[in-house]
Amino acid sequence: MEPFLAEDRGKGARPKIVVIGGGTGLSVMLRGLKQKPLDITAIVTVADDGGSSGILRDEMQIPPPGDIRNVLTALADVEPMLSQMLQHRFNSGSGLAGHSLGNLILAAMKEITGDFVSGVRELSRVLAVRGRVLPASNHSVILKAEMEDGTIVEGESKIPQAGKKIKRVSIEPADVEPLDEAIEAIEEADAILMGPGSLYTSILPNLLVPKLAETVVRSEAVKIFVCNVMTQPGETDHYSVSDHLQAICDHVGHDLFDYVIVNNGSIPPQVQQKYAEEGAEVVRLDLEAVTSRGCRVIADRLVLFRTYLRHDADKLSRHIYDLVQRRMSEKE
């Protein structure tokens, strides 16, 4: 398949899909979606403050590059060795240890172009990225969580470690401006997709950018939520599928989604035990509660297990593409 580049936008040949989130789950899904004839725009969180991203964010005054790097790599049309190189993390070296090469390249591109978003755009061209990758904002944000006991935890990387139930999250500054390109992509979208990924630290930070959330709410695109297979310790302990939807509704003020895609394949007991030792369990599908919110449920065996459980990117992308095609045919 020929790579679909940003400059191909506007030819009208492909449905436009906006994917919002961050983290490993998003990257896995995008590897499948890029094989479909879709015009993809990925809008990625700028709340990360841990590890290499956190260091570069503070020292270089740039949005955290880690999630951007992962998404660029997932959508890139390059040899596997180049992808491996971008993801390489240095194990030694004064000042280098802990940094990934891709993060350092993004920091360099910001200095070369004078602007982080321009740097991402130029690196996308170099990597023949199939679509566009945009940070939710050109500025970093600080993520804060108010816990059920009233305590406040500051910092995306610290929130899951607090060991308390999250009541709600917020960003600082609260009035951060989204990218104009991100708003335009949402306004033009035929489909808007969220998840999989960390609910409170990867998905919701994007929806806390005021104008971005408002544009999603107004959009007439088909809206799809891909639910995590397992709960995340410190974030979504004991959450069902409808609990995920309720958390998003509580923060945005609206039920957003037309469809929810969930895994209904069995997970081997030994795999469940491995996750249970880390405090994670299978996200339970409470079907009646989900459909009462106006959502249609697409359920299938969507998991693969290697070292960790991951979504089956090919099968997941087929379901997403079918939903988008269905909506496009309804509009004709």
Side-chain angles (χ1 to χ4, degrees), residues 302-321:
L302 295 173
V303 290
L304 300 171
F305 179 74
R306 295 187 177 94
T307 306
Y308 298 96
L309 283 171
R310 293 284 182 257
H311 277 90
D312 182 328
D314 292 335
K315 192 178 285 187
L316 179 58
S317 62
R318 283 200 301 273
H319 280 295
I320 294 166
Y321 184 66

Side-chain angles (χ1 to χ4, degrees), residues 141-293:
V141 299
I142 297 170
L143 188 66
K144 295 184 177 182
E146 179 187 353
M147 302 302 185
E148 289 284 358
D149 66 0
T151 59
I152 304 294
V153 179
E154 182 175 312
E156 179 268 346
S157 60
K158 296 182 179 64
I159 290 169
Q161 300 171 0
K164 299 178 179 180
K165 184 174 175 59
I166 300 170
K167 181 177 181 181
R168 65 182 303 110
V169 289
S170 59
I171 57 172
E172 189 179 287
D175 59 349
V176 65
E177 288 287 325
L179 289 185
D180 290 340
E181 297 99 316
I183 296 298
E184 291 167 8
I186 294 169
E187 290 175 339
E188 297 173 1
D190 298 301
I192 298 171
L193 181 64
M194 296 183 206
S198 300
L199 177 62
Y200 287 100
T201 55
S202 290
I203 297 172
L204 279 170
N206 297 288
L207 295 175
L208 294 173
V209 177
K211 291 181 184 177
L212 195 151
E214 292 163 11
T215 308
V216 170
V217 170
R218 287 198 311 269
S219 170
E220 295 183 1
V222 60
K223 296 166 191 169
I224 306 164
F225 181 68
V226 180
C227 193
N228 291 339
V229 176
M230 307 296 289
T231 61
Q232 185 169 354
E235 284 205 39
T236 55
D237 298 289
H238 311 302
Y239 270 37
S240 65
V241 175
S242 71
D243 289 331
H244 286 74
L245 300 177
Q246 183 64 53
I248 294 173
C249 179
D250 288 344
H251 284 76
V252 178
H254 297 269
D255 280 317
L256 289 182
F257 302 105
D258 302 297
Y259 292 92
V260 179
I261 300 178
V262 300
N263 170 63
N264 69 352
S266 60
I267 297 170
Q270 65 271 24
V271 177
Q272 292 195 45
Q273 179 60 35
K274 177 181 177 180
Y275 274 82
E277 290 169 1
E278 299 175 359
E281 62 190 43
V282 176
V283 175
R284 177 176 54 87
L285 172 56
D286 46 347
L287 184 60
E288 186 174 338
V290 173
T291 55
S292 71
R293 309 187 77 93

Side-chain angles (χ1 to χ4, degrees), residues 15-36:
K16 296 179 179 180
I17 182 168
V18 172
V19 184
I20 299 174
T24 305
L26 178 66
S27 299
V28 169
M29 180 176 65
L30 287 172
R31 291 181 192 280
L33 283 178
K34 77 175 181 181
Q35 305 300 331
K36 303 295 183 185

Side-chain angles (χ1 to χ4, degrees), residues 40-87:
I40 300 170
T41 298
I43 299 176
V44 185
T45 179
V46 289
D48 189 7
D49 65 355
S52 171
S53 284
I55 293 169
L56 291 172
R57 161 185 170 142
D58 294 339
E59 293 186 356
M60 305 290 292
Q61 298 300 301
I62 59 173
D67 283 331
I68 296 282
R69 180 199 78 239
N70 285 329
V71 171
L72 285 171
T73 305
L75 289 174
D77 188 43
V78 294
E79 293 295 324
M81 182 55 71
L82 181 54
S83 292
Q84 187 177 342
M85 184 179 74
L86 289 170
Q87 297 288 52

Side-chain angles (χ1 to χ4, degrees), residues 60-63 105-123 133-135 137-139 179 181:
M60 305 290 292
Q61 298 300 301
I62 59 173
I105 290 174
L106 281 166
M109 291 301 293
K110 183 265 182 182
E111 291 203 342
I112 291 168
T113 63
D115 173 75
F116 184 74
V117 175
S118 298
V120 172
R121 186 180 300 119
E122 291 304 313
L123 187 56
V133 180
L134 301 171
S137 173
N138 206 5
H139 305 281
L179 289 185
E181 297 99 316

